[in-house]
Amino acid sequence: MPSMRGSLATLTLLGKLVDAIPTLASKLVIEHGDLMEHLLRGLVYPSEGVQASVCYLYGKLYSSPMVAEMLSGHFREKLYPLFLSMLDGAQTKELQINCLGLLRQLLKYDLFVSMIMNKPALVESTESVEGLPGETSLPLILKKILLSRDEILQVASTHCVTAVLVHSPEKYALAFIHADIPEFLFEHLSSSSEVLVWSSYNCLILLAEEPLFFSKCHTVYGIESVVRSLQGSLRMNNTELHKQGVLLFAEILTRQPEEIKLFTSSAMCRDAGRALQEAVSSPVLEVAAEAVKATSAFLRKDHQSVPPVQYRELRALLEAMLDRCADFSQTPLSRRSLGHASSRDVEKDILRRGKFLLSTLEGFRNACRLAVEFQSEPSAQENPFTAPSAEKEDTLEAFSEFLLSACDTFCIPMVMRHLEQATYPALMEVFFSILHSLFVIVPHMKEKFSKKLAASSFIRLTLELKARFCSGPSHSALNQVCSSFLHCLCISLLSAPEKTEPPSQEELSAVSELLQDGLPHISSRSPESLAFLSDCQYVEGAARQRQHCVLLLFYLAHIHADRFVSEAELFVAVRSFLLSLQDQGEHPPLTVFRASIYLLAVCQDKDDALDEAVVSAIRKFLEGIPDLHVIYTHHPLLLRLFLLYPELMSRFGHRVLELWFSWEESSYEELDDVLSAGQPTLPASLAALFHILRSSPSILLILLDLIYSSPVDIGHKVLIVLRTFLRRNEDVQVGGLIRGHFLLILQRLLVEHGTSPSEASGNLPSLLSLLSLVQLRNESEQELDSMSMKLLHQVSKLCGQCSPTDTDILQPSFNFLYWSLHQTTLGSQKRAAAVLLSSTALIELLEKMLALTWAEEGSPRTTLLCSAWLLTASFSAQQHDGNLQVHQTLSVELGQVLKVLSFPKKKAALLSAAILRFLRTALQQSFSSSLVALVPSRAQPPPAPEDTALAPLGTSQVLSLVTGLQNLLVQKDPLLSHACVGCLEALLDYLHARSPDMALHVASQPWNRFLLFTLLDAGENSFLRPEILRLMTLFVRFQSSSILSHEEVGLVLQGAALADLSSLSNTTLQALRGFLLQVQSMGLLVDHSTAQALQVSLEGLSPRASSAQLPLQDMLYPSLQLGALARSGSSKQWDGVASCFRTEVCTVYSPVL
């Protein structure tokens, strides 16, 4: 055998030959057994070059598993002690590398690992880990090599540690941990070598399987190095490095004991979150998937409880995770190059997406759990270092709201899309766990959240999942979480119902217990659930509870438009359920009965009626309820159910209608305002009510009672509804029905509150307004029957017991009296006037109110004062014409009347018009009324001798009145202008009868011409207005040629002949006809052909003008169209007194010769 130094080349050659020809190894061992002894001598030869060559050859020999098995005894008996000592004492890099190479080959085999790691010294305590002198251990040797500055040796040493741990981390990790190997591995993570960092990652991942790795706080020491290393490695283009780094971080985050805080500062926690955020955004799916798992582990309370909690960073991390999952879920499925989808590839893609989505949802669930846990931590509510003026984004409340929004925006859509491809119970379990936790996280948003879930068919989805996976004992966790979710959803929906009263806390607790017990046992499909609900056999307690649960689920789904069962089948099931309850003598909980009656109403076929037995059962259940509001749901079909069946309407109709109007949210005021503009589209609820009213007009009596007995706001709604119904349904004859019932109400009121009607129902004005509307529906003159006379008597009696301050009662009452007096035949007018004049209290009230005019002009009661003046004028005219008996006179100061008209105040056009109507009546009667006594004012001087003929007027008063009328005309208010012209006509008639010279003087004043031209500046054919035509007729009648010359009269007639007369109103045509007749009678016609053509045109329109009945809204007070008031004054004034101006048409005067 050559010397060892001479064998160096041979050993090297053998090593290379074995490396090139692996089969040579077995031949060398079998055929040259003395070679092994020679190699042993080389290991102890004092030359590290020879030792390195021997180690190299050994490494190649042990690389063959067969040779390694043959040499196992050689290693145990001879090689092992020499090898470890040589490795420990190696000085040259060549020897160190070859020794580590041999070690790597040996560590491939469990046998050799066990031999090396089970050395007695390794099981001793940490203090004796180095053993006896001359003995050593592998962990300490590798630790020594790790401390070297050579990167290659560090990598090799790390690989050796990893090679040992791969066999059994639980057996061998302790030795390396006791040797403080993790500490040095963490230090190596800062290296710029990707191989060393990757090797350290692998080794640390294996060490992390040992609990001692964490209990000795190695992770606390090294977490900063891990985070920084991860941040740096993510910037490199090394996918494997990314994966291993994220995997190590995930292992640490997952296995770290809760009692040992991993992050010691908020800055470190923030950096960790940002590193994860970058990792989950990786375009490499494997990296992103591991990062999502790490994120899930990161979202633990013990990891985040370092104050202040970085909510903004957590939000950014979750957003990145959800964005990455959304991007992945929306990528196209795998396809072959030829464009044909591979079913196997598609299935793999779906599975991969499901796993990624599951990991994402688990991370999101942990975030939700974190939010729940922090709710009990006062220090975690917000960042105490945030400036008071800063926007509160870094708070638990903002983070919780973000979780809800993110679930709504990301989680739910992603899960719904995935459900279209596959359904995984584990995924759905996590998903419903998230939904369930959100009810706790954002309690102030759970109402809106639950309603959106219900409207998105989540009740149906949950029931289908339970039916598919939970019908047996399997998937109990999914069944439990689905049941918990349904419980929270139902309780939230029932606590904040739509259009129904929320249940009491006691009812809610009972329902909560019912759902908790019953929901886990419901796992049947919809048809089976309907059949179960329809079961007519005797139903035991537990089964009845499940029926209640099924019914509530159907009810909540239906009320939120999730109608996943046939309404006809559901109707039959609910009907059978109610009959079963009645047969067994049971009373359902209020919440269950409310659901039952609602479903019965909305699912009923509109053409079918309920069985008598069902109606009887409903009534019996209802009679056991203290108040219907606890089971009422605001829906037209439920109202129809109560009003359609007399047995229910007679007992519950009043209360149901009251509840209906209390829940109505429609803007009835706007509806009432626009009705005069046409027939606008009604709200659906109102249209449904009108349909019911048309089919059963007797319900109107209930509505009348509601107006009287309900609160003012409800009564006002009912009034507008009735008013609208009567206007839109003129073919429904209900006047007698309403008036008769109103008479009973009024009689009862006068008996109960006779001396003080203002203390009666606040809705009495509404009732009186409705009575006026019913009276207005009689377009043609009709005889007043006994009921009408009784109503007149009762209303007049009511007015007599009121004070002038009771405006709300008096205004509609005056309107009713006025219309009853005028809208009837002459015979009935006389009877009605006699009844009203017999009420001395009413006459005294009118006297008081007229006296208030001088003090309250322009006050809010101006409208009522207008009505009082008009009613007084009508009473005076009827008494004078019919020579009726007067039981009580009323006095009016004539001077005050003339003063108000001579010096009118601004914004008093309506009151001035009413007083003018009164003065016109007095002038027509020549101040000889037996009812009205016009007394002189106290300060009025005695009349002059020349004024005797004009008494009780004086010359100065006449002239002042004329001036006042002219000033009022200049205002060009249509209503006021008509009233002024009518008063001027009556004044000139009065003056002509007493002093013709004074009448001619008044009619011929030069100011009249200026007045006329002022009125005519309104544009082309402005003379074709009734007040101007009547004014010109006066001037022609009194031969005031200086005011209106003959040529101008001819021009007026020519203009009228050329105008389109068919477009003129009846009032204008009558005034034009009067003007033409006056001109003819005065012989002022110059162009007879023009006059003849005009007369023919008027005669052609005569039937329309004379016989056509004007609509109520266009009736006239002398030649006055009431629409002018709406254009010129307050709409409220219009509502109050418009009806009082609708009286007789104008008279065509005879010429004054």
Side-chain angles (χ1 to χ4, degrees), residues 822-1078:
H822 284 274
Q823 196 176 1
T824 184
T825 60
L826 292 177
S828 291
Q829 284 183 1
K830 187 174 181 179
R831 291 171 54 212
V835 170
L836 296 176
L837 290 174
S838 66
S839 177
T840 57
L842 174 61
I843 302 302
E844 291 174 355
L845 174 69
L846 288 174
E847 182 177 10
K848 293 177 184 177
M849 296 193 67
L850 298 185
L852 293 174
T853 303
W854 329 126
E856 299 195 10
E857 185 180 353
S859 75
R861 284 192 289 177
T862 299
T863 306
L864 183 60
L865 295 177
C866 294
S867 300
W869 281 104
L870 291 171
L871 200 58
T872 303
S874 297
F875 284 0
S876 178
Q878 293 291 342
Q879 186 277 329
H880 187 270
D881 295 342
N883 195 23
L884 302 175
Q885 181 180 358
V886 176
H887 301 272
Q888 175 74 32
T889 61
L890 59 87
S891 301
V892 179
E893 292 187 27
L894 179 61
Q896 291 286 1
V897 173
L898 297 176
K899 179 181 177 182
V900 168
L901 297 176
S902 301
F903 306 101
K905 295 183 178 180
K906 293 181 179 180
K907 300 182 180 179
L910 193 61
L911 182 60
S912 298
I915 298 175
L916 285 169
R917 176 69 180 87
F918 169 81
L919 182 58
R920 177 191 173 194
T921 301
L923 288 169
Q924 288 173 338
Q925 298 172 357
S926 298
F927 301 105
S928 61
S929 172
S930 301
L931 176 66
V932 180
L934 290 167
V935 297
S937 301
R938 297 177 183 177
Q940 181 176 344
E946 60 272 16
D947 294 340
T948 304
L950 302 179
L953 296 176
T955 302
S956 61
Q957 290 177 318
V958 169
L959 296 178
S960 178
L961 175 60
V962 171
T963 303
L965 293 175
Q966 290 172 338
N967 290 336
L968 292 173
L969 280 168
V970 171
Q971 295 181 20
K972 297 182 182 181
D973 183 283
L975 171 65
L976 194 56
S977 297
H978 283 290
C980 287
V981 172
C983 187
L984 186 59
E985 290 171 343
L987 176 62
L988 289 176
D989 283 343
Y990 178 81
L991 294 177
H992 184 264
R994 302 296 184 91
S995 177
D997 292 339
M998 174 61 76
L1000 292 174
H1001 171 71
V1002 169
S1004 302
Q1005 286 187 2
W1007 176 258
N1008 288 335
R1009 182 172 178 82
F1010 176 76
L1011 171 66
L1012 183 60
F1013 278 95
T1014 300
L1015 297 176
L1016 287 172
D1017 67 350
E1020 185 180 0
N1021 290 340
S1022 58
F1023 65 90
L1024 290 177
R1025 286 159 49 197
E1027 68 271 18
I1028 296 178
L1029 288 170
R1030 289 171 58 199
L1031 191 61
M1032 292 190 298
T1033 302
L1034 274 179
F1035 295 148
V1036 171
R1037 178 184 172 204
F1038 285 94
Q1039 302 179 359
S1040 303
S1041 58
S1042 61
I1043 308 300
L1044 188 64
S1045 65
H1046 297 172
E1047 292 79 6
E1048 290 166 340
V1049 170
L1051 291 174
V1052 170
L1053 293 176
Q1054 289 179 9
L1058 295 175
D1060 180 13
L1061 301 184
S1062 62
S1063 63
L1064 301 179
S1065 66
N1066 290 345
T1067 309
T1068 306
L1069 292 175
Q1070 288 178 337
L1072 181 58
R1073 185 179 296 103
F1075 177 72
L1076 178 60
L1077 294 175
Q1078 196 72 61

Side-chain angles (χ1 to χ4, degrees), residues 551-585:
L551 189 68
L552 287 175
L553 291 172
F554 283 150
Y555 163 71
L556 292 173
H558 195 285
I559 208 168
H560 291 91
D562 184 13
R563 298 168 187 177
F564 54 91
V565 293
S566 166
E567 289 191 346
E569 295 177 357
L570 184 57
F571 173 77
V572 173
V574 174
R575 183 180 59 185
S576 301
F577 170 73
L578 291 176
L579 291 175
S580 173
L581 288 173
Q582 185 187 35
D583 293 341
Q584 294 185 202

Side-chain angles (χ1 to χ4, degrees), residues 473-525:
S474 60
H475 302 295
S476 58
L478 176 62
N479 183 33
Q480 185 58 46
V481 74
C482 285
S483 300
S484 299
F485 165 73
L486 279 178
H487 174 264
C488 285
L489 179 63
C490 292
I491 293 300
S492 178
L493 293 174
L494 291 172
S495 302
E498 292 184 351
K499 299 186 177 180
T500 187
E501 288 287 338
S504 65
Q505 192 59 44
E506 182 180 355
E507 294 172 37
L508 205 59
S509 299
V511 173
S512 176
E513 184 178 352
L514 171 72
L515 292 171
Q516 278 182 336
D517 294 339
L519 285 174
H521 303 288
I522 297 175
S523 56
S524 56
R525 300 188 182 274

Side-chain angles (χ1 to χ4, degrees), residues 8 12 45-55 92 94-95 98:
L8 178 61
T12 303
Y45 189 78
S47 170
E48 291 198 353
V50 173
Q51 293 174 347
S53 298
V54 172
C55 287
T92 64
E94 180 183 10
L95 178 58
N98 286 354

